Amino acid sequence: MAERKHVVIVGGGFGGIMAAKQLKKADVDVTLIDKSNHHLFQPLLYQVATAALSPGDIAVPIRAILGEHKGMKVLLGNVININKKERYVELEEGRKISFDYLVLAPGAQYNYFDNEDWEKHAPGLKSIGDALQVRERILLSLEQAEQLDDPKLREPYLTYVIIGGGPTGVEMAGAIGEIAKRNMMRDYSTFSKNETRIFLVEAAPRILNGYPESLAEKAQQTLEDMGVRVLTDTPVTDISEDEVAFSEGAIKTPNIIWAAGVAASPLLSALDTDQDRTGRVKVTDDLSIPDDENIFVIGDAAHKKDEDGNPLPALAPVAMQQGKYIGKLIKGEISGEQRTPFYYTDKGTMATIGRAKAIADIRGFKFSGFFAWILWSIVHILFLIGFRSRFRVFAEWMWHYFTFKRGVRLITDRFTEKD
Ligand SMILES: Cc1cc2nc3c(=O)[nH]c(=O)nc-3n(C[C@H](O)[C@H](O)[C@H](O)COP(=O)(O)OP(=O)(O)OC[C@H]3O[C@@H](n4cnc5c(N)ncnc54)[C@H](O)[C@@H]3O)c2cc1C
């Protein structure tokens, strides 16, 4: 009898989980390795950062998702190296895990464009820890503003700068706009909601670059109606603890959030194969790397061109479809099937801007406002993993919608120590 093949999957995000799910009942051994113990629904991180949801609403233990299956193993570990020739991956503590097939789905991280010291002043939203850090900054700032009687002195604490006008920046700016103009402000008596200033800063001439221009304009108008000042053509030149600088002028605030560039996981350089300028690995038609047909790269880590020659966007549906495809490919190959190329089905893009406000582009049909928001809500609820999270998020959203109230407003001191 032929020996069972061993599939190693690095990353339990959207891509890795889909690949593992496909292989649950296959005649292979699977080891999924992730440096955190949970799968995270990143599209809703900004709602944890703005106190609308709790971490447990958008994160589920990977073990709980994959359950008990013969040959399926989940390991908590940071993969630091890949040896293509000897066919193993190496964990930080030195353990080597050999593979027959390797599926790399380690995602991306924020890119500060060689200004690594900006990171501590302007955290990005990538993990639960990041979201809690942003949430704590916002809540602490409001507490500080409450203590200052002079409006000029409290101005920086009521100012928010979001850098990057992509969907994450837009959603974050909209959510802070909601907090500032409505719900949380009622809890404070020293200052008024009109004192809040929110800036969305973008280096390019327009926000939401990957979206149709008409929807981007609608989004900008909606943000401006909510009191967000959108600064386009405004590259950031420096960030310090309490200031963001531009070529002309600066904004004083400790509330700085980075939603600008991303770079693929640094682990990928161990593959010693072609990468694009953001570090994504250039993969072939079946998502394998050019010199090794049994090493695959998927999701945000992969540079895969569509039929028009443009790289597929770094979005959850791309990662999920690629994960599903790879799982099926491996399962099929083991039973003697031929490989077929990967094709992405674009089902549309959407972004929410605030309560009952969103934009959506579904196969060329463009929607904005309440209907787009309903669509956005349904899609996000459906893609959350697990009935419990779906139910809880739905209940939280209904509560916010009808009461205008935010839930989780605890300051825990976890992130307040300065280095
Ligand atoms: C704030 C935010 C908002 C977003 N909003 C949207 C949205 O509205 N719609 C949308 O479609 N997409 C959105 N995205 C993008 C979407 O989340 C990504 O495209 C998707 O997560 C990519 O899936 P992935 O499997 O490639 O990587 P990820 O989901 O990022 O998973 C990577 C996994 O690999 C693990 N890992 C990384 N390196 C290692 C290592 N060395 N060793 C072990 N484990 C490792 C990580 O812990 C993580 O669990 C958003 C992303 C962010 C950050």
Side-chain angles (χ1 to χ4, degrees):
M1 215 172 83
E3 215 178 298
R4 272 164 76 93
K5 301 274 189 207
H6 186 205
V7 183
V8 170
I9 302 173
V10 178
F14 287 101
I17 287 286
M18 281 310 269
K21 277 183 162 179
Q22 285 298 318
L23 293 167
K24 266 183 179 177
K25 291 185 185 147
D27 194 17
V28 286
D29 291 325
V30 178
T31 304
L32 187 148
I33 310 167
D34 200 300
K35 60 184 174 188
S36 73
N37 80 333
H38 52 267
H39 167 78
L40 178 63
F41 195 84
Q42 292 173 18
L44 291 180
L45 263 178
Y46 81 96
Q47 296 215 355
V48 174
T50 51
L53 294 175
S54 303
D57 296 335
I58 63 160
V60 187
I62 294 172
R63 283 180 202 291
I65 299 171
L66 295 179
E68 273 178 48
H69 284 274
K70 183 173 171 269
M72 177 78 68
K73 197 172 190 174
V74 177
L75 287 183
L76 178 66
N78 185 16
V79 177
I80 54 157
N81 197 16
I82 303 158
N83 191 320
K84 278 199 292 195
K85 201 156 157 254
E86 293 175 36
R87 309 201 83 59
Y88 66 80
V89 296
E90 189 178 344
L91 302 190
E92 202 167 13
E93 73 266 21
R95 185 172 170 199
K96 292 174 181 163
I97 299 172
S98 54
F99 62 81
D100 297 300
Y101 289 97
L102 176 63
V103 181
L104 291 166
Q109 57 188 35
Y110 279 103
N111 181 4
Y112 287 82
F113 309 112
D114 296 328
N115 297 293
E116 296 322 314
D117 53 319
W118 291 2
E119 189 172 358
K120 60 176 185 284
H121 310 306
L125 278 183
K126 195 70 197 156
S127 64
I128 291 285
D130 295 336
L132 293 177
Q133 187 181 4
V134 169
R135 186 179 86 187
E136 187 143 316
R137 277 186 192 207
I138 294 174
L139 294 172
L140 274 173
S141 248
L142 291 170
E143 293 302 331
Q144 270 159 319
E146 181 78 340
Q147 293 193 28
L148 297 165
D149 292 325
D150 179 348
K152 209 64 219 149
L153 287 180
R154 65 180 178 244
E155 186 179 79
Y157 298 109
L158 296 171
T159 300
Y160 304 85
V161 176
I162 298 113
I163 302 165
T168 303
V170 166
E171 291 182 339
M172 193 70 203
I176 295 179
E178 289 288 331
I179 296 176
K181 298 293 170 202
R182 285 211 184 100
N183 29 42
M184 236 140 77
M185 289 302 168
R186 292 184 197 146
D187 294 354
Y188 301 89
S189 55
T190 312
F191 50 86
S192 91
K193 61 182 186 184
N194 299 330
E195 290 180 52
T196 309
R197 302 184 311 153
I198 306 158
F199 297 90
L200 177 64
V201 180
E202 168 59 52
R206 56 169 276 209
I207 59 165
L208 292 173
N209 241 321
Y211 289 65
E213 200 154 353
S214 60
L215 283 183
E217 277 165 14
K218 275 235 160 71
Q220 177 159 344
Q221 190 54 55
T222 310
L223 283 171
E224 285 169 353
D225 292 346
M226 293 167 78
V228 175
R229 290 183 231 177
V230 181
L231 310 179
T232 48
D233 279 318
T234 311
V236 168
T237 53
D238 197 18
I239 301 175
S240 62
E241 197 179 333
D242 52 11
E243 189 178 278
V244 183
F246 316 102
S247 52
E248 283 165 31
I251 300 171
K252 284 222 162 297
T253 175
N255 299 309
I256 311 164
I257 298 154
W258 185 262
V262 288
S265 160
L267 171 68
L268 301 163
S269 55
L271 287 175
D272 193 20
T273 184
D274 247 14
Q275 290 171 266
D276 67 13
R277 67 182 172 81
T278 62
R280 294 189 296 175
V281 169
K282 294 189 178 170
V283 292
T284 64
D285 285 350
D286 62 12
L287 309 181
S288 62
I289 58 171
D291 65 345
D292 195 321
E293 61 175 15
N294 286 349
I295 297 183
F296 303 93
V297 184
I298 60 172
D300 283 7
H303 174 118
K304 168 77 179 76
K305 288 197 167 34
D306 64 15
E307 285 103 285
D308 302 325
N310 302 314
L312 291 174
L315 290 174
V318 176
M320 290 166 93
Q321 288 181 31
Q322 293 184 334
K324 194 169 177 185
Y325 163 86
I326 285 301
K328 282 188 171 164
L329 180 149
I330 295 173
K331 206 158 55 174
E333 192 155 274
I334 280 158
S335 14
E337 286 171 23
Q338 293 291 314
R339 293 183 181 191
T340 51
F342 169 79
Y343 289 107
Y344 172 59
T345 313
D346 183 359
K347 294 183 182 150
T349 38
M350 42 182 76
T352 175
I353 310 157
R355 184 177 180 273
K357 299 181 194 86
I359 51 164
D361 176 15
I362 313 290
R363 301 188 174 196
F365 293 100
K366 298 176 183 62
F367 307 100
S368 58
F370 184 71
F371 180 66
W373 181 73
I374 292 286
L375 270 181
W376 177 92
S377 306
I378 292 172
V379 167
H380 283 72
I381 291 276
L382 284 181
F383 280 104
L384 272 170
I385 284 182
F387 174 75
R388 207 165 141 238
S389 5
R390 282 188 197 137
F391 178 76
R392 275 198 317 221
V393 170
F394 179 73
E396 286 283 350
W397 285 352
M398 286 299 105
W399 170 254
H400 301 152
Y401 186 80
F402 289 111
T403 65
F404 292 91
K405 285 191 173 140
R406 297 258 144 183
V408 207
R409 283 177 274 168
L410 306 179
I411 297 174
T412 58
D413 266 358
R414 232 183 108 183
F415 300 103
T416 46
E417 281 171 32
K418 296 257 167 349
D419 23 312

